[in-house]
Amino acid sequence: MDDAEQDAALTAHAIDMAWRNDVVLFFAGLPEEAESEGFDRETIDLPQKQLRLLADIVKVNPNVVVVLSNGSAVSVTPWRDSVRGLLEGWLLGQEGGNALADVIFGDVTPSGKLAQTIPMSVLDDPSMPNWPGEAGHVDYGEGVFVGYRYYDTFGRQVAYPFGYGMTYSTFEIRNLSAIPHDNTVQVSAIVTNTGQVRASEVVQLYVAPCACDAARPAHELKGFEKITLDPGEASIVTFELDSRSFAYWSEPRNDWHVERGTYTIEIGSSSRDIAERVQVELPGDGIRLPLTLSSTFDEWSDDPIGGPILQAAINRLSQQEGHPIIPESDMLRMLLGSMPMNATNVLLGSAAGRLCERIMGLYNASNQ
């Protein structure tokens, strides 16, 4: 990235113009050599000579609006609190200048939303522990925790969250309703323009999953609707969530899977500006993995068929032994929980073999 010294005469001229005028529009961004899909950027900072010039201009005129031109996120935290406004332009085409002028002078009300999180630092990015890789390989170690799914799940501070974006008006989102049917949900809410100008809001719908064994983000975007309203006008937005909106990819099942449980429907204007939440109970798809002796004690206990079989077998063997084969101990139960059934002899001794034989026989018989 070009970080040569700024021309002294141009710097002096810019500072003098800033001092003489009421408002400064400071256009900043990445140089051409930093914009490519053929290599990775090593920093998300703006060039230092731009930041030095910005700092000098703010000293003589605090009414500075920064207009950015960049293909991907740049760090704004070192300087955003020193300026009055920030307009993210991304990479604009040949009509970019006219588009910016329309927004800056109020001829058009902006309504864009961030399609990515703006982090505080490049070190906060979830890919950093695996980048740039080694020996010619890069692991995509983030799993499902990419972008806002990572930042929101682990409570990381961000400069601007996914879905964030301001307009020249204000909006209220209320009366969230979610009506479940099997594993689908019909959602609606009322959106009102509470400001003074006609503007658009992008209403965003997120789903927070129920408790399950799979690693899942705190919530995921499942729908969005852009709505344009006059001042004081209200309208209803609706969403139809199908079963995939609640599913995750299950490696053991090699298919999408909907867990039975309580899901939270969230509606708002960004991933961190949630206006209302409601909960719905879903029955799940009922697809169970077959139990084997390699299944853990907890997996047997939680299974609707295997659980009663296991408990009945424990009771019967305890009667035959004349004492509980599993002593009343929270610690023992905790240790047993994650053990495969065919390894429980470590804690249960010889009774484990008889227990495994009995539960497997009864379970196989129940599935015939």
Side-chain angles (χ1 to χ4, degrees), residues 18 53-64 66 79 82-83:
L53 178 59
L54 176 60
D56 289 338
I57 286 177
V58 169
K59 291 177 183 177
V60 301
N61 190 332
N63 296 320
V64 177
V66 174
W79 49 264
S82 65
V83 301

Side-chain angles (χ1 to χ4, degrees), residues 76-213:
V76 300
T77 47
W79 49 264
R80 65 170 176 169
D81 291 337
S82 65
V83 301
R84 298 294 297 275
L86 171 58
L87 178 58
E88 175 60 85
W90 301 114
L91 287 183
L92 298 167
Q94 64 181 21
E95 287 298 307
N98 290 328
L100 289 174
D102 288 343
V103 170
I104 291 169
F105 290 102
D107 296 329
V108 171
T109 301
S111 60
K113 298 286 188 173
L114 287 175
Q116 64 184 113
T117 304
I118 307 299
M120 301 293 287
S121 163
V122 69
L123 298 178
D124 293 327
D125 190 278
S127 67
M128 286 306 292
N130 303 294
W131 183 85
E134 58 186 358
H137 296 278
V138 179
D139 292 327
Y140 288 82
E142 308 98 302
V144 296
F145 298 101
V146 176
Y148 74 92
R149 299 170 182 83
Y150 167 77
Y151 295 108
D152 292 357
T153 300
F154 296 100
R156 298 304 298 264
Q157 185 180 3
V158 299
Y160 296 103
F162 174 82
Y164 178 86
M166 299 179 68
T167 75
Y168 294 145
S169 191
T170 55
F171 291 87
E172 178 187 52
I173 305 172
R174 58 186 174 85
N175 288 18
L176 174 62
S177 170
I179 302 174
H181 178 69
D182 292 332
N183 291 315
T184 66
V185 179
Q186 184 182 63
V187 181
S188 65
I190 297 176
V191 184
T192 305
N193 183 341
T194 56
Q196 303 301 314
V197 298
R198 179 178 173 83
S200 299
E201 173 65 299
V202 180
V203 182
Q204 299 161 43
L205 189 69
Y206 296 84
V207 171
C210 65
C212 67
D213 292 333

